[in-house]
Amino acid sequence: KTVVTMNTVQIFGTIDPAKISDYTDYMAAVNLYDGLVNVDPAGNLVPELAESWTVSDDTREVVFKLRADARFSDGTPVTAADVVYSVERLLRINQGPANLFADVLKPGSVTAVDDHTVKFTLSKTFAPFLSTVPAIMVLNSKVVEANLGDDDGQSYLATHVAGAGAYTLTSWDRGSQMTIDRNPDYYKGFGPGPIDEVRWIITNDEATVRSLAASGELTMSSQYQSPETYKALEAMGRFKIVAEDTPTAFYLKLNSKVAPTDDIHIRKAIALATDYATIREVIVPGGELNGPLPKNFADFYASDLPAPVYDIEAAKAEIAKSKYTGQKIPIVLGYVAGTKFEEEISLLMQANLEQIGFVVTQQADPWNRITELASKVETSPAVNQIFFSPTYPSPDSMFFTQYHSKAAGTWSSMEWLQDPEVDKLIDDARATTDKAEQAALYKTLQHRLVDLQADVFLQTQTVQHAMDKCLDGFKAVPMQSFDYDFTKYSWTCQ
Amino acid sequence: MSDALLSVRDLSVEFTTYGRTQPVLHGVSLDVPARSHVALVGESGSGKTVTMKSIMGLLHMPPASISSGAILYDGRDLLTMPRRERLKLTGTDMSMVFQDPMSSLNPVFTIADQMSTILKYADRRLGRSRSRRERMQRVLEVLAQVRMREPERVARSYPIMLSGGMRQRVLIAMALLSEPRLLIADEPGTALDVTTQAQILKLLKDLVEERGLALLMITHNLGVVRETSDYVYVMHKGVVVEEAPTAELFAAPKVAYTRALIDAVPRLTGARPAERTEAAP
Amino acid sequence: MEFLRFLLRRVLWSLLVLVGLSMVIFIIARAVPGDPARMALGPTATQEQVADLQKKLGLDRPIVEQYGLFVVGLAHGDLGRSLLTERPVNDDIRDTFAATLELVLATIFIAVVCGVPLGVVAAYWKDRWPDNAVRLVAIFSAVTPSFFLALLLQILAGYVLHILPTTGRLPPNFDFAPGYTGLVLVDSIIAGRPDAFLEGLRYLLLPAISLAAATMGQMARITRSSMIDVSSQDYIEASRAFGVPEWVRVCKYMLRPSFVPPLTILGLEFASLIGNAFVVELVFAWPGMAAYGIRTILQKDLNAVMGVVMVSGVFFVLVNLVIDLLVGLVDPRVRIRGSRQ
Amino acid sequence: MNARQSPLLEVVDLVKTFPIAGAFGGRAGEMTAVDHVSFSIRRGGVYGLAGESGSGKSTIARMIMGLFQPTGGDVLLSGANITGTLGTRAHSRQVQMVFQNPGSSLNPRRTIGQSIAVPLEAHGHPRADRRRRISELLDMVQLPASFADRYPHELSGGQKQRVAIARALAVAPQLVVLDEPTSALDVSVQARVIELLTSLGRQLDLTYLFISHDLSLMRNFADEVGVLYRGRIVESGPTARVFEQPEHDYTRLLIASVPVISAEEEALRPTIPLIDGEIPTAEKLLALRESQRATEVPKRT
Amino acid sequence: MSDELALPEDAPRLSSAYQSWYRFSRNPTAMIGLVIVVACVLAALLAPWITPYPDHVGAVVNFRARHLPPSADYWFGTDNVGRDIFTRVIFGFRVSLLLAVVVLGTAIPIGTVLGLTAGYFGGWVEIVIMRLTDIALAIPPLVMALAVAAVLSPDLVNSMLAIAALWWTWHTRLIYSITRQLRTREFVEAAETLGASKFHILFREILPNCVSAIAVKTSLDCGFVILVGASLSFLGLGIQPPTPDLGTMVASGSAFLPDYWWESVLPGCAILFVALGFNLLGDGLRDLYDVENVR
Ligand SMILES: Nc1ncnc2c1ncn2[C@@H]1O[C@H](COP(=O)(O)OP(=O)(O)OP(=O)(O)O)[C@@H](O)[C@H]1O
Ligand SMILES: Nc1ncnc2c1ncn2[C@@H]1O[C@H](COP(=O)(O)OP(=O)(O)OP(=O)(O)O)[C@@H](O)[C@H]1O
Ligand SMILES: [Mg+2]
Ligand SMILES: [Mg+2]
């Protein structure tokens, strides 16, 4: 029996597919539930419960054909009715992934054509729709109905699984661990060297991770360990360190509506005063980022944009052009309190900015406070360190949520960018079904955002995992934590 | 008076505080024969309590030290006696009644508990043994001996539930538990009101008469001395300045200090002390 | 009868305190920044979704009404549902409370069992070397922040000596779950699992010591000074005259009357104990209520925060009630009043 | 009674009840500590209040001082009812008290000078003159002025008592309540304090309410006495009369219990019957008397 | 026992301040405490002149020198961005001492006044004040501090406010229980009968008798205030970097345990050192103020 023991730094909030929202939630959900489609590392959709799908010309109608042999883990067949039920419930509860479908699906939009055919009728053209479909996890409607309670089965699904996933929930001790076991009757079957059991141990304590590794229990670390821990684990000999670039981008968000970052020259100066190499090499590993979009979205990526450079003299020149020239420029640098590397980056920024005439105030806030501060222009710090990763495998996820004026007021849009041209480009791309045209629009958009210096585009995130040398299969996927779908992993030793 | 049960010979005690040595007793001598009631009087601070503590072995020796003298009990010197033997005597053969009935009983244990503990360890020192039942019986017996009306109830009580007079009796009962021959009472009853005090004094007097106790009573109340004791020692600044049978002392005090002490006592007749002195024979 | 009335009065006062506490916490919880609905829904949620959830949670209603609803729920013993864990807060607290309880009980045990004898020793040999040694130990343990001590112990016992585990409550994947009382040490005895008992003890030791040190120091200091006060009382002197052996005098006659101040202090210390538990649980990754509490505060999980604080408030009030009763038990003067001294 | 002068203090029908605290702080009932007590003191006189411990002496004193609110009855000073003004500044100018225990009535954390200055401050004595007034007061009670800088623990009991007296006299009151002013002192010191009180009384024209259960002392100091038993005055009258011809059995028991040092005194003491070979308690005696009202008191031999 | 200690009436008296100092200076633990406290205060005041790298209190980053163990150059080693920890510890005394002084400076007067009032007047005043205190005591300190600091913006002043907002309860409790005992003492009643004002009684008669208790409590508190400040900083609600603060250093250094132990252990020892100093001093003060308790 192959067991993978992995540590994770956060507790699992929920396993109800209608409520899952964060990275850890999805980690459990992708293993316990199956959706109509899945995502591969390149961001392409791959069949799962649906063996094929067709999109109408205006992209307003999508028809999925379900696999005939698809079974829930209790053995009952997966039918179109289950899909309809799952979507309706998602919309009813209106949490978790529901926001992806907010303007697109209405109650009644999804219908069962026959037992194995489901039709989605969109209320408007929304090009990235397909890429959001993996977020729909299909529920076993009969089981849910039988345990409906007075809250649409929420109590039941908070602790039980009613899905078609490759794994079933064995034990879950909130706050300490979750164990899932392979469903041997999984309809898709498994490849060679399947993982029989996955145990997540919840700890963000480096020492615990090390002792788990030392005692031979740990198979795979989380991606959040300290460099020292990776080093120590590697030194044990049993582990390989797998580093991989992800589509997660790391920005210094520049608030375009408050002083001094309301001046484009100041924004450019900050970008020029950023020591990218040191950050990447010493503080936190990462890949180059030349604009708002990580290069994982290869088809849409503007590869002609030059990588940003660190040039203090040029920064000074930009300041000279700004309206703030000739004075001490006060500026606030925000980051998440308690995050070591963000603190280090902030200090590095402070050291550099103070050289060129800024007076820096550091502002470390806990995450919840940052979300609050982000809701108002005045309270959003001039500069803020933010990670953003796509929630569905489409550039739209990167652009709309961060730069569209309609999305303002969240932590992901602290630029307070209200640029009609940017808005128009995003909207146009959403309305286009033609992929080439979309690519062109997105490339223009990237140039526009770099010209505006909407953010300092620091780097992409490189994740590191210490993995047992026998374990294979980690591949970054541009959607949530779909890369922890353990059907994609295999045990290579005997 | 060499046949005295207790005989203090030329006792000197000094206290060392802050590196300074201060003599407190200067060659005190006194005798307490069996079946007698001896009083030790003197103003506050004259050394009465120190004398008593020396006899009972209660002086805290680091600050205090006995520079000379002997304390003969039954002819044997307590000061040179081996510690074990001395411990055998204190609380058994020689016992004492404490001054303040309000504060001399442990507030958190019942009377029975306190008394039987004392009895238990007194027995142990004497190599006797008694069952719990027997000990309790003895406790009740002694409580009855001090004329406590409901010994069982008193035994079950906590000190706070008893009146001052009752507590003083309990203290006497404690001293009598292991049938001592010598009883030292440090100002018994001074903390009580007159009527109760009178009862306690009567009780002590009866005990001397009935049980042949040797009683050394320390007090500064001359009225009490006159009414109860047979023989008086007057102490002043650590020196015994006068000793005489009670009647003699009051009739004709020889030392000026004694006279002054007697004169200071207000009279029930209402005569101002000064006037009375003139009127005295 | 008297006793019942006393109890009733105390309970009524305690209820009043708890009601006040609930109000204060309610206001605090509402004032902490961050929209709970948005926090729960994640970054990509739309404005409508947020409004929708706010409505479901009743966050759009006037605060007084919200409070009313909370109190009604509370009266039914229902603390609502946690946004963070999606479970009834009651369940979450039941799961985490036992761990905290075990830690706190162990702490009190250590503090009393070590602190009191140390105080006795110091008082007995006042101004001599045992006294000085105890005072030094007491002062050091009283001033060492429990957080810092936790770190030191982790390094020393965990990394340098490798004798004790540094985080968690039981080994990962250990096949024992406390079922009856929720306390590992108790349940393992009930279940007849000496291995679980030993493991539980090993894991408990470091957090409990870190938490106990400050209280222990306080207990030793208070016991010492209380013993010294008592030792100059006439009744202690008197017991000497009656030839009661030294150890009986010290351990019985002196200790019991001296016990009221340490007990009272223990009751007060309890508040800071819970406060420190918040930090120590974090350091040792102890799966207790405090760690849960911090997480939920940061997530602005209103129901859960209210639940945690109310439970710790009840706990605090209860402990102090028990201590008051104990004081009455130890010292009859408290029980039998009416006659003035 | 001396009718030459009008009474300074009149206590009319004073009652004080206390709640009886039950175990654990509940209220278990009521007890009457002072039960319809009336008496008066002529200007310049010394009125003695005697009685066993717990008979209500201090309670009366405290009501006169305003430390307790009477349950019923009035306190008149020079004919004016001062019940309502109890504890006020005007009241404290007229009536002062020397407490039972000299040690505990001085604040251990304040110097003697500071303690004596309290009434001076309260009554607006000019700041510049305070120091002088304090030495004057200390001098009056025969203490050196340097004592002003000492702390109470540096003084002996008699000295502390004298400080307390000085403080009470600082504002020149008319009435001084002395609550067992000498009970904590030794006979020789006690005699000195009484002497001092007598001479100050004469010098400053003070009226004293003197509380004690030392009857011999009372015989010497007071010119009128009241005997208190269980909150009631059972007998009162000029001192000589009460002591020589006690009318009430309780008074007799009290006088009979006083230990004395001379034969004359002994002769003066009434004898009381022993009950069960013991000196009876007051309750017993009074109960016995209740049942044999007519019988004469047999003389003790 | 005090009667016998009366000085001979004509013995030359030393000034009482000198006497106090004499007694104090003969108490070795108190003297050690005083020396420690004075040393810390001086170090804090003179920090810019006595530290090797005074510029390291600011935003200096030197990634080549990060995580260096203690050495002759860096006595306490360096931190994660290469700053000298020793320098930062000495500067850290400034914030920590200021925190302690400000928090206790507000909490003690409030607690004292409330405690005196509740204890002396009794009745409804007592009920209201003491129940409020109970409520405040039942709130886990960190929750309260977190909330106060979070409502207002996170900075040094507010974190002080937050800590002070719950600290008074301890002092209220303490002063209350002492006052309640003292209320019935005769010297208080004596002052009442002498016509003294309530103000006089509360602050001149009762308060001086609470001083030793307050001194002891305060000395103990100093260390704890510094710690709570540290927890707040850790959660991002306290002192903002790069300003050095001992608590923050311990908290943030703990992320590098055990490899770079000096980054949290040494600042932690500094907290301990100050707290110890205050405690020893407090004990000394207690002996000093206990005039009745001269042995
Ligand atoms: N522990 C001590 N340290 C220093 N001196 C002491 C100590 N105990 C007693 N003395 C001194 O010994 C002398 C005699 O004290 P003692 O207690 O015997 O007096 P006393 O006659 O019993 O007085 P009282 O009637 O007040 O009880 C006093 O002057 C006192 O100062
Ligand atoms: N504050 C109080 N609360 C309740 N009962 C009280 C209070 N003060 C006095 N008493 C009760 O009133 C009665 C009279 O007490 P008081 O102090 O007047 O006696 P006393 O005659 O002065 O006695 P002593 O000679 O012992 O001083 C006692 O039974 C006492 O218990
Ligand atoms: Mg004595
Ligand atoms: Mg009285």
Side-chain angles (χ1 to χ4, degrees), chain E residues 3 5 14 16 18 24 34 39 65 78 81 87 105 112 140 149 151 168 203 244 257 260 274 279 291:
Chain E
D3 265 11
L5 284 163
L14 305 161
S16 79
Y18 178 81
F24 186 83
L34 185 69
T78 62
V81 291
T87 303
T112 304
V151 173
W168 58 268
F203 294 101
L257 283 176
Y260 312 127
V274 194
N279 270 273
V291 278

Side-chain angles (χ1 to χ4, degrees), chain A residues 281-321:
Chain A
E281 281 149 29
V282 183
I283 301 178
V284 54
E288 275 195 4
L289 183 67
N290 62 352
L293 196 69
K295 54 173 158 295
N296 304 52
F297 294 96
D299 298 340
F300 308 97
Y301 177 67
S303 53
D304 54 333
L305 281 170
V309 289
Y310 170 47
D311 184 345
I312 287 286
E313 291 312 314
K316 282 186 188 151
E318 284 292 345
I319 290 177
K321 285 190 243 166

Side-chain angles (χ1 to χ4, degrees), chain B residues 15 17 22 24 42-51 63 99 186-187 218 220, chain D residues 186, chain E residues 4-5:
Chain B
F15 278 88
T17 35
Q22 204 179 1
V24 167
E43 67 185 16
S44 187
S46 54
K48 306 184 294 291
T49 301
V50 171
T51 308
Q99 178 166 4
D186 192 1
E187 317 207 10
I218 293 167
H220 51 219
Chain D
D186 196 296
Chain E
E4 283 72 48
L5 284 163

Side-chain angles (χ1 to χ4, degrees), chain B residues 242-263:
Chain B
E242 181 166 2
E243 55 173 296
T246 311
E248 266 175 47
L249 184 98
F250 281 92
K254 291 190 206 71
V255 185
Y257 173 71
T258 314
R259 203 172 308 132
L261 206 60
I262 293 175
D263 286 349

Side-chain angles (χ1 to χ4, degrees), chain B residues 134-152:
Chain B
E134 286 166 334
R135 276 205 294 271
M136 194 60 210
Q137 226 154 18
R138 170 75 185 147
V139 165
L140 295 178
E141 189 184 306
V142 179
L143 283 175
Q145 206 169 41
V146 294
R147 314 223 157 75
M148 201 71 93
R149 248 167 307 139
E150 300 167 274
E152 283 92 358

